[in-house]
Amino acid sequence: MFSAEIEIMTQPQSLTSIPELRAQIRQWRAGDESIALVPTMGALHAGHIALVALARQHCRRVIVSIFVNPTQFGPTEDFLRYPRSLEIDLEKLASAGADAAYYPGANAMYPAGFATTISLAGPALAGLEDRFRPTHFQGVATIVAKLLLQASPDAAIFGEKDFQQLAVIRQMVRDLDIPVEIIGAPTFREPDGLALSSRNIYLDARQRTFAPDLHQAMQWAARRIREGVTIPDALRDASASISASGFVIDYLEVRDSATLAAPRTAQNPAELRLLAAARMGQTRLIDNIPVGG
Ligand code: AMP
């Protein structure tokens, strides 16, 4: 009688093993339902939820995987302290209308004796993230390949926030003939421009006030390049501004959006992407924007 006032939340199916996942997939396939996969490491925020919404636009069923993948963290990185909040994540997925949450344990993903990894070249060796996280994309590609083989989705959604990762996955799917459509989702930002990230919780209150300066300086650089300032000049000035806000810059570079190669002389800004990684205290932020606006 009061149904209009009641928020109807269907709990997503909890799937914790490969056989459970495959049984659910078989059931949906028997009903001829299309399936989208949204791979995540949990600690879900509005950026992840936007990916779920985009997935729902493409497919009848949406599976969100939650797995903090050890092989994509370097030995000195934050694997152990990476935020984990499964119960809250499941509530968020219920509100977002996801059909299933797939959260296998580490032993299911990497059983004893596991010995195979995906070996990458091309965009994985662009000299951006890979320069600072040399084993990262091998770990990402291996887990994404496994997830795609386990779930055999029609589509998989990845954020442009991790722009090099998206390029690596597109390349892998093309090279290995994995039958899935890879869909990129725009970066979801705070009102002040900071890209949402599970790692933003590492920022203390003071650092949080300076964190949006990275994106603002990037926008400034892109605007100046569009106005005719040379790329080196625009990047030099933006670097100074980012450093003045308290960041230590890992990289700030303009690249071809499609290949991640260095820009050609006088290349059209519409074809270029500005990518950055910078550390604020213990927190490493990444961001990227189109140079063409
Ligand atoms: P993560 O849990 O950080 O591994 O991210 C899971 C997926 O969400 C990846 O495809 C990310 O690119 C994407 N993602 C993370 N943050 C954002 C954001 N702020 N906007 C859009 N997508 C995001």
Side-chain angles (χ1 to χ4, degrees):
M1 186 155 69
F2 301 111
S3 59
E5 292 158 33
I6 298 170
E7 193 183 342
I8 298 168
M9 292 205 309
T10 42
Q11 289 299 318
Q13 279 292 328
S14 276
L15 310 170
T16 60
S17 69
I18 299 168
E20 275 177 29
L21 173 70
R22 291 211 162 118
Q24 180 62 83
I25 302 275
R26 263 197 309 277
Q27 192 190 322
W28 287 335
R29 290 294 184 203
D32 211 16
E33 296 181 320
S34 59
I35 298 168
L37 175 70
V38 181
T40 81
M41 297 205 299
L44 300 181
H45 52 61
H48 296 116
I49 300 306
L51 266 54
V52 175
L54 186 60
R56 288 186 63 87
Q57 289 173 23
H58 285 267
C59 292
R60 172 74 183 84
R61 299 290 183 180
V62 177
I63 306 172
V64 177
S65 65
I66 297 175
F67 183 67
V68 185
N69 174 34
T71 66
Q72 71 189 68
F73 290 79
T76 62
E77 293 181 2
D78 57 344
F79 174 66
L80 289 176
R81 71 177 186 129
Y82 193 84
R84 290 161 171 86
S85 55
L86 184 61
E87 292 309 315
I88 300 168
D89 288 349
L90 294 179
E91 285 169 23
K92 289 181 180 170
L93 291 181
S95 308
D99 296 284
Y102 174 48
Y103 45 100
N107 290 341
M109 282 306 205
Y110 297 111
F114 185 91
T116 304
T117 57
I118 302 276
S119 167
L120 303 161
L125 300 181
L128 298 165
E129 283 299 288
D130 51 298
R131 203 144 50 91
F132 299 88
R133 309 184 72 190
T135 59
H136 174 65
F137 288 123
Q138 178 176 300
V140 169
T142 302
I143 200 70
V144 170
K146 284 171 66 71
L147 289 166
L148 293 175
L149 290 168
Q150 291 169 7
S152 56
D154 300 283
I157 322 291
F158 294 87
E160 288 182 351
K161 158 87 180 351
D162 299 276
F163 199 77
Q164 189 178 4
Q165 168 176 283
L166 179 58
V168 167
I169 289 163
R170 285 193 196 284
Q171 180 83 44
M172 175 183 76
V173 162
R174 196 161 55 238
D175 290 349
L176 298 185
D177 308 307
I178 302 177
V180 64
E181 182 187 0
I182 301 299
I183 297 170
T187 301
F188 196 96
R189 298 179 182 281
E190 302 281 6
D192 60 15
L194 177 65
L196 265 67
S197 163
S198 305
R199 291 186 166 99
N200 289 352
I201 60 158
Y202 298 154
L203 296 166
D204 66 27
R206 189 172 168 281
Q207 291 168 337
R208 176 63 187 81
T209 63
F210 286 105
D213 293 358
L214 174 64
H215 182 241
Q216 272 164 31
M218 291 172 73
Q219 283 184 307
W220 178 49
R223 192 167 58 241
R224 292 181 76 212
I225 293 167
R226 287 199 295 278
E227 290 167 359
V229 175
T230 67
I231 292 174
D233 284 356
L235 295 185
R236 186 199 56 228
D237 295 345
S239 294
S241 161
I242 293 165
S243 302
S245 294
F247 282 101
V248 177
I249 298 173
D250 278 353
Y251 61 84
L252 176 72
E253 296 206 25
V254 169
R255 294 297 182 90
D256 182 290
S257 302
T259 63
L260 298 183
R264 299 187 305 276
T265 312
Q267 189 170 353
N268 184 346
E271 298 171 4
L272 300 176
R273 200 92 186 172
L274 174 57
L275 304 102
R279 285 170 281 127
M280 170 81 80
Q282 299 293 304
T283 312
R284 186 170 183 276
L285 302 182
I286 60 170
D287 203 344
N288 68 87
I289 57 171
V291 174

